[in-house]
Amino acid sequence: MSKARVFDLFLFFASVAIAFGARHAIVLDHTYLKALILYWAFSSIYYQLRIVTRSGNSNIDYAISYTSSFGVFAGPMGTLLFEVLYRFTVFFYKKKTKTADPGEFLDTFYNIGSFTIGGSGGYYLYTLLHPYAAHMPLGYWLLFLLVVCVTTLLSASFLTLTFALSGDITTRKEAMDLLLHNRNLLDFSKVTLTNALLLRLLQMEKWEMLIALFLLNYVVSISFYSKSQSAQHKFERDKFEQMAYRDFLTGTFNRAHMDKMMKELNHSNECIGIVVADIDRFKKINDTYNHAVGDRVIIHFANTLKSHMQEEDILFRSGGEEFTMFLRHKSFEDCHTQIQGILDTIAGHSVTAEYEDQRINVVYSASFGLYYYKAEVGQRTSMEKGYVYADQLLLESKKLGRNRLSYKNELEA
């Protein structure tokens, strides 16, 4: 058996020893049984709202916890009975839904031990400090905040230690990340207010208000959970769309997004400068050095183009070393000046790259073709045709000796 599993069982048997050795013996009267049933029922329902993360080979569930209030109310033995009932309910639920980890049975004993010790620690801390807190302004609430912080961090410490023993975390940074994961003052305050109110209602045996507080907490929690899920799904969709429409090497938009944008801009009724740019003699750079150096040149070229893009301009990597720009809402003269600025920037810089254990400076040039026209309904020239015309103008720049701009202004009288 691994060290982690030995530690898990040690926690369980330690919690049993604390429960049976405690001076506070739980009385199995109707008050305790009502509280046990309510806490078990709502904790089981709230389990659906847990946050699941993965560390190494195991899943970690961050469920809503009411151990603090129940631990103070019921003491070590009462907490142990609650944790046994609740944790085995979760165990059988995971088995039924086929979501259990391979070591789920022993994980259940770990959870019972960890949370029982945490709840017992909260009970003794509350019992020790309550007489002093009773004479302080907001003493009850501040004491409960301390109880929640201590019990939460105690349980988190046990979790961190068992993952360290299993080898799922190996560095101090990983340990601190796990220890402090999703824990801040706002979270502690939320748990404190809920558990402190629950304990007050338990002590007064206000069962209807207790149920109402559980239901209110559930409604609020499921609302936040639903919004967080929606936000997560939107993030994943945006990330997928970004991956689908971005070039992995340069971070610019790719040809698929260019085709999409051409369809959208076809009837935009705006003046557009379509520019096709290409690195001169790029094959020679690859043949002289290697593709890694060639990639560095492409990235440098892309970054140079980006630095000259204005707010509404759009840049695409439309081929290997070819880029296309849509220059929007500007005059032909502005487009011409913008491209000339790019040419001047490239002429004044070189690319630094690693080649055969040495740093080299690669000088390159680029050629451009600019086609300027107005995209409007009824116009014979579409964005797709405009791109073809700009590409032909690029070829003209190549024939004229490269490192230049060839252009056509369709709106010129």
Side-chain angles (χ1 to χ4, degrees):
M1 185 178 293
S2 67
K3 292 179 181 179
R5 288 311 184 188
V6 172
F7 178 70
D8 293 349
L9 292 176
F10 167 77
L11 285 179
F12 172 74
F13 288 114
S15 69
V16 172
I18 292 171
F20 280 94
R23 293 181 181 179
H24 178 80
I26 186 66
V27 178
L28 298 178
D29 57 10
H30 71 281
T31 302
Y32 172 76
L33 291 176
K34 281 183 180 179
L36 178 66
I37 291 170
L38 281 175
Y39 270 75
W40 165 76
F42 280 100
S43 294
S44 299
I45 293 171
Y46 288 7
Y47 180 74
Q48 305 298 322
L49 304 180
R50 70 199 187 281
I51 299 170
V52 181
T53 61
R54 189 154 188 91
S55 180
N57 297 316
S58 302
N59 291 319
I60 308 172
D61 294 338
Y62 294 96
I64 301 170
S65 176
Y66 301 104
T67 301
S68 299
S69 57
F70 198 81
V72 172
F73 168 74
M77 177 59 76
T79 304
L80 175 65
L81 294 176
F82 165 71
E83 290 296 336
V84 168
L85 178 61
Y86 170 58
R87 299 298 168 180
F88 272 101
T89 299
V90 171
F91 170 74
F92 289 119
Y93 168 80
K94 285 187 171 183
K95 282 293 184 182
K96 183 179 179 181
T97 56
K98 296 181 170 32
T99 57
D101 287 333
E104 194 68 47
F105 184 69
L106 289 178
D107 287 342
T108 300
F109 284 96
Y110 160 79
N111 286 325
I112 293 170
S114 173
F115 285 94
T116 298
I117 293 174
S120 300
Y123 165 76
Y124 286 117
L125 184 62
Y126 181 89
T127 303
L128 177 66
L129 298 180
H130 184 262
Y132 304 99
H135 301 290
M136 295 171 52
L138 300 176
Y140 173 75
W141 305 98
L142 293 174
L143 174 57
F144 225 95
L145 177 61
L146 178 62
V147 168
V148 168
C149 291
V150 169
T151 55
T152 302
L153 292 176
L154 190 60
S155 298
S157 298
F158 292 147
L159 182 65
T160 303
L161 186 54
T162 194
F163 273 93
L165 291 172
S166 66
D168 285 330
I169 57 175
T170 56
T171 66
R172 182 177 297 180
K173 182 180 183 303
E174 290 175 332
M176 292 302 297
D177 288 344
L178 182 59
L179 185 65
L180 301 175
H181 183 74
N182 285 337
R183 295 182 177 95
N184 53 48
L185 184 59
L186 184 63
D187 292 325
F188 283 130
S189 300
K190 178 182 68 176
V191 176
T192 296
L193 287 171
T194 302
N195 279 275
L197 284 171
L198 286 172
L199 180 61
R200 284 287 200 203
L201 296 174
L202 270 176
Q203 291 170 337
M204 293 186 293
E205 297 189 37
K206 299 287 187 180
W207 302 110
E208 290 183 2
M209 294 181 66
L210 190 74
I211 293 172
L213 180 57
F214 269 125
L215 289 173
L216 176 62
N217 194 233
Y218 178 74
V219 170
V220 172
S221 297
I222 201 169
S223 175
F224 277 111
Y225 179 81
S226 176
K227 288 178 181 178
S228 67
Q229 290 293 98
S230 298
Q232 179 65 24
H233 292 158
K234 183 180 183 304
F235 172 77
E236 290 173 354
R237 287 196 303 271
D238 291 346
K239 187 176 181 181
F240 176 78
E241 183 172 329
Q242 185 180 40
M243 291 174 62
Y245 288 133
R246 291 280 181 181
D247 171 56
F248 74 96
L249 180 64
T250 63
T252 60
F253 290 115
N254 59 18
R255 182 61 185 261
H257 191 58
M258 181 177 129
D259 293 340
K260 177 173 176 286
M261 287 304 303
M262 283 196 292
K263 288 182 174 62
E264 291 181 10
L265 294 173
N266 254 330
H267 307 300
S268 61
N269 202 38
E270 63 181 79
C271 294
I272 299 176
I274 303 176
V275 181
V276 181
D278 183 89
I279 299 172
D280 294 330
R281 298 186 174 90
F282 182 73
K283 185 177 182 301
K284 183 178 179 181
I285 295 174
N286 276 339
D287 292 343
T288 303
Y289 303 106
N290 53 39
H291 288 280
V293 173
D295 286 346
R296 292 299 307 163
V297 174
I298 289 175
I299 292 170
H300 183 275
F301 185 46
N303 290 337
T304 302
L305 297 176
K306 287 178 191 176
S307 68
H308 286 265
M309 293 295 100
Q310 297 174 7
E311 186 177 356
E312 294 188 271
D313 298 339
I314 314 174
L315 173 64
F316 312 89
R317 185 182 179 190
S318 47
E321 68 274 16
E322 179 186 284
F323 291 83
T324 299
M325 292 168 276
F326 294 163
L327 308 183
R328 305 176 62 189
H329 303 299
K330 60 191 67 178
S331 66
F332 169 77
E333 289 74 18
D334 290 336
C335 293
H336 187 282
T337 301
Q338 191 169 337
I339 302 306
Q340 190 58 53
I342 296 173
L343 281 165
D344 293 342
T345 299
I346 294 172
H349 293 84
S350 60
V351 182
T352 302
E354 297 284 342
Y355 177 67
E356 294 184 351
D357 299 326
Q358 59 181 330
R359 294 182 69 81
I360 60 171
N361 291 316
V362 181
V363 177
Y364 72 95
S365 64
S367 300
F368 294 79
L370 164 62
Y371 179 76
Y372 186 82
Y373 88 117
K374 186 172 185 178
E376 56 185 337
V377 180
Q379 178 70 260
R380 288 190 304 172
T381 303
S382 64
M383 287 289 293
E384 290 79 6
K385 284 185 179 179
Y387 168 71
V388 172
Y389 294 153
D391 193 49
Q392 290 173 346
L393 289 166
L394 167 67
L395 293 177
E396 186 177 323
S397 292
K398 297 281 188 181
K399 291 176 182 177
L400 292 173
R402 301 179 177 84
N403 190 28
R404 66 187 66 231
L405 166 66
S406 296
Y407 54 85
K408 180 178 182 180
N409 181 3
E410 193 69 52
L411 303 183
E412 194 173 45

